[in-house]
Amino acid sequence: MTGVVVVTLYPFLTIIARSFSSESRIRAGEVSLWPRGFDLTTYRIVLGDGMFWRNYGNTVLYTVVATAVAMALTTCYAYVLSKKELKGRGVLVGVAVFTMFFSGGLIPHYVLITSLGMKNTLWAVVIPNAISVFNLLVMKAFFESLPDELEEAAQIDGLSTYGILLRIVLPLSKAVIATMVLFYSVSFWNSWFSAFLYMDRTELMPVTVYLRNLIVGATGGTNAGASTEQLTQVASNIQSVTIVLTALPILCVYPFVQRYFVSGVMLGAVKG
Amino acid sequence: MTTATAGRSWRRALRRDWQLYSLVVLPLLFFLVFRYLPMIGNVIAFRRFEPGGSLLGERWVGLRYVRMFLADPTFWQVFTNTLWLGTLILVFCFPVPIVLALLFNEFRGRALKRFVQSVSYLPHFLSIVIVAGITMQLLATDGPVNQALRAFGGEPVAFLQEPGWFRTVFVGSEIWQTAGWGTILYLAALTTIDEDLYEAARIDGANRWRQIWHVTLPGIRPTMITLLILNIGTFMAVGFEKVMLLYNPLTYPTADVISTYLYRTGVESNNFSYAAAIGLFEAVIGLILILSANQLSRRAVGTSLW
């Protein structure tokens, strides 16, 4: 058990230690779990970089918009799929589930997004990932577990389908909605490949692509606040700092939200 | 049912449930445009595609591109690499969560157990870019792994530049990232095992190990098989994003997989039709694998995904 904790946490602690250490001590191979030659220069450089903030802001924006769109589409479809007596329901389920096993592949997707003119727009990262079939099935299972009588009563009281969904079903589904919002927002926060693929301009990138460019050494990714000399000198330090800053929001909310994730996955597993 | 009555019942369903149907319009459009249209888009594997031209290519060229990649030595290299990585992932990453779940299950301290589980899930929630970044920092020449090597009198190793190390590095980081999270479904399955079975096994004189062997493992077998089938389904797509982040031209000999190769030929070099042919090949093999795994397990053990 201790072994699991050590193996999982050790890499994090190392990165944190390296982010606070001076470059020369890292070079000398002295830094492992504890910062050596405590030094905040790198934090100052990264936090002083306009592009870093710009990309960080993009990540926030993309995550919010994408999660909103994804929730709207997923909720609507899942609600309809939960109506057992609906004609054509089997087909609608099949349409979604088949895509879990077979996909069009990278190139046709790329050609499609390009010819729809979505390149270099927010929509290229939002729309193509709008519905995760796994999340869809979890929501469907939850809606199915709600008692039918409630909706029937509401119907007799004269509520339309939209009214039932908005005023009866959604208020009863706060738990699953919260879970799905978390699932989607974490996955959008973490994603990098769509943006990498469909965006050519640095100022449109999310912070994950900024980090990716750092670790593959594609660019310095930086302009304000640092000379090139400073940059090359502290390159690996900058990576550690950027890793810490990019992971920070997740690490902060993680202790409070992880039980929702677990229950969400359980729900999907038991009922899906 | 005749067509006429079928038509009428559809009309009745539409009249009664039109509000429900209206809710599926946008999501359905999403699936058709962004999931099914690209499937059709694969015809460019058999047609000559010109950038800026039609989405579905300009004219038929038959199996030209398929023949091209079958004759391409790089293709066979990346094909072999894909099989290697896929197999290693299956062999090493699939059993770890089972072992961990059994370990968690044997452990009695509740609060501590929950803490350990929470910690072990953590890497799953980080971006793959962060995981790649951490991996590279750990394995850097001045990183902790090489420090340890030096401390034991070894020579530092350039893990990320040596083709011989790529598979180990990749599988290692994959285990680190996925093992904890992978236990969740097994732990759920473990809670459904009837306590009476353990009772009975104890009365029959079974010790801890025999109980695990005869009660616990059979109890989670359906979960194991379901996950195995799903893993086999993603066999060909092995950690595409992580390979993209971790590999470099020096490690291509072992690291380059089908999906990274098709990314480079398609997106970077604009050979869309050629890359689409490779992609289609990959997807079809994936589909065949999951269909046959499903069929096989239904016959052999009676568990299947559908």
Side-chain angles (χ1 to χ4, degrees):
Chain A
M1 295 295 262
T2 341
V4 175
V5 176
V6 170
V7 169
T8 314
L9 290 185
Y10 181 78
F12 288 109
L13 298 176
T14 309
I15 299 299
I16 295 170
R18 285 167 78 94
S19 77
F20 286 110
S21 302
S22 73
E23 182 72 8
S24 55
R25 305 292 282 268
I26 294 179
R27 279 277 163 77
E30 291 174 9
V31 182
S32 70
L33 273 180
W34 201 248
R36 292 286 156 78
F38 188 83
D39 187 355
L40 287 175
T41 323
T42 330
Y43 275 93
R44 230 168 280 138
I45 293 174
V46 175
L47 293 175
D49 177 9
M51 198 49 84
F52 173 80
W53 285 111
R54 182 97 195 237
N55 290 172
Y56 217 85
N58 286 342
T59 296
V60 174
L61 176 72
Y62 297 164
T63 304
V64 170
V65 176
T67 306
V69 171
M71 283 308 292
L73 292 187
T74 310
T75 310
C76 288
Y77 207 63
Y79 180 64
V80 175
L81 294 187
S82 73
K83 295 282 157 234
K84 290 224 169 64
E85 68 289 13
L86 189 78
K87 205 168 159 57
R89 172 180 176 271
V91 178
L92 293 177
V93 174
V95 162
V97 171
F98 181 68
T99 62
M100 288 177 100
F101 303 113
F102 190 76
S103 87
L106 178 69
I107 301 302
H109 274 111
Y110 184 82
V111 173
L112 175 70
I113 302 297
T114 313
S115 49
L116 287 175
M118 283 160 70
K119 262 195 119 174
N120 286 319
T121 69
L122 156 78
W123 306 113
V125 294
V126 170
I127 306 278
N129 303 310
I131 297 182
S132 135
V133 178
F134 177 80
N135 291 358
L136 180 74
L137 295 178
V138 172
M139 271 199 116
K140 165 179 165 284
F142 185 88
F143 289 145
E144 279 169 355
S145 71
L146 293 175
D148 292 339
E149 293 77 16
L150 271 171
E151 295 184 44
E152 278 161 25
Q155 202 171 10
I156 292 166
D157 289 346
L159 271 181
S160 68
T161 304
Y162 305 137
I164 294 173
L165 177 60
L166 286 175
R167 295 178 41 194
I168 311 285
V169 176
L170 293 187
L172 286 174
S173 309
K174 285 193 190 107
V176 79
I177 290 174
T179 312
M180 292 297 107
V181 167
L182 286 174
F183 273 173
Y184 274 126
S185 50
V186 168
S187 84
F188 287 121
W189 182 277
N190 283 336
S191 74
W192 69 286
F193 192 64
S194 302
F196 171 72
L197 202 54
Y198 300 124
M199 291 178 177
D200 310 323
R201 300 213 300 269
T202 337
E203 70 269 20
L204 294 172
M205 302 292 188
V207 72
T208 40
V209 179
Y210 177 99
L211 177 58
R212 179 262 169 199
N213 291 343
L214 278 182
I215 65 175
V216 304
T219 64
T222 322
N223 40 32
S227 67
T228 24
E229 190 183 301
Q230 236 175 333
L231 278 179
T232 46
Q233 195 203 346
V234 292
S236 86
N237 239 9
I238 286 190
Q239 284 181 28
S240 310
V241 169
T242 314
I243 290 171
V244 171
L245 292 173
T246 311
L248 198 61
I250 302 240
L251 295 179
C252 290
V253 299
Y254 178 75
F256 307 103
V257 300
Q258 61 97 10
R259 67 197 173 90
Y260 291 101
F261 284 106
V262 175
S263 59
V265 170
M266 298 280 202
L267 190 65
V270 177
K271 296 278 205 133
Chain B
M1 210 198 294
T2 65
T3 358
T5 57
R8 204 163 33 228
S9 75
W10 259 114
R11 218 169 316 156
R12 200 178 318 132
L14 273 174
R15 185 148 358 116
R16 196 189 55 199
D17 294 325
W18 67 270
Q19 290 187 321
L20 279 177
Y21 288 117
S22 71
L23 290 174
V24 303
V25 172
L26 284 179
L28 204 54
L29 205 63
F30 161 81
F31 279 114
L32 296 181
V33 174
F34 293 100
R35 293 292 178 267
Y36 287 91
L37 199 57
M39 289 182 201
I40 302 169
N42 272 315
V43 298
I44 67 165
F46 309 106
R47 290 167 68 87
R48 194 179 169 75
F49 174 84
E50 267 142 36
S54 160
L55 202 62
L56 301 177
E58 300 302 320
R59 59 189 160 78
W60 290 100
V61 292
L63 294 178
R64 190 186 124 113
Y65 295 108
V66 177
R67 269 198 295 271
M68 244 166 91
F69 78 69
L70 289 178
D72 173 359
T74 319
F75 170 78
W76 289 108
Q77 157 113 61
V78 300
F79 183 73
T80 323
N81 285 344
T82 309
L83 293 187
W84 259 109
L85 272 189
T87 311
L88 289 173
I89 295 289
L90 212 54
V91 169
F92 288 100
C93 295
F94 178 72
V96 176
I98 301 175
V99 175
L100 270 187
L102 293 177
L103 194 72
F104 288 161
N105 197 47
E106 293 297 307
F107 195 73
R108 291 300 154 206
R110 282 188 68 82
L112 192 62
K113 180 169 150 184
R114 190 162 308 155
F115 171 75
V116 177
Q117 274 173 245
S118 303
V119 167
S120 75
Y121 300 156
L122 182 56
H124 171 83
F125 292 101
L126 294 176
S127 174
I128 218 152
V129 183
I130 294 179
V131 175
I134 292 179
T135 309
M136 289 166 119
Q137 292 281 303
L138 285 181
L139 299 176
T141 28
D142 55 18
V145 174
N146 271 317
Q147 279 170 47
L149 276 181
R150 259 189 295 254
F152 289 110
E155 284 292 305
V157 179
F159 292 102
L160 300 159
Q161 278 83 47
E162 303 262 4
W165 275 102
F166 185 83
R167 287 170 185 150
T168 317
V169 170
F170 186 87
V171 172
S173 86
E174 196 71 8
I175 291 178
W176 182 74
Q177 195 185 0
T178 59
W181 187 249
T183 60
I184 288 186
L185 295 178
Y186 293 111
L187 289 169
L190 284 170
T191 59
T192 65
I193 299 176
D194 195 347
E195 276 300 319
D196 293 348
L197 289 173
Y198 289 105
E199 191 69 52
R202 269 196 295 275
I203 291 168
D204 289 345
N207 61 20
R208 262 261 152 74
W209 288 111
R210 312 267 320 166
Q211 286 175 36
I212 290 178
W213 187 253
H214 291 292
V215 181
T216 314
L217 282 178
I220 58 173
R221 197 172 66 178
T223 311
M224 281 164 64
I225 289 166
T226 306
L227 291 177
L228 187 65
I229 299 172
L230 286 174
N231 279 351
I232 290 173
T234 54
F235 188 84
M236 296 300 282
V238 281
F240 165 58
E241 291 191 16
K242 203 192 273 172
V243 177
M244 283 278 290
L245 293 163
L246 284 179
Y247 82 163
N248 59 54
L250 290 173
T251 47
Y252 280 178
T254 52
D256 204 7
V257 288
I258 296 183
S259 35
T260 49
Y261 180 55
L262 82 85
Y263 165 79
R264 288 202 314 279
T265 40
V267 179
E268 283 183 356
S269 319
N270 288 318
N271 294 322
F272 288 101
S273 288
Y274 183 60
I278 302 177
L280 186 59
F281 176 78
E282 184 189 10
V284 169
I285 292 193
L287 188 64
I288 293 173
L289 279 176
I290 194 165
L291 289 177
S292 30
N294 193 53
Q295 196 65 28
L296 202 69
S297 98
R298 189 190 328 205
R299 291 250 177 85
V301 288
T303 311
S304 64
L305 288 181
W306 60 85

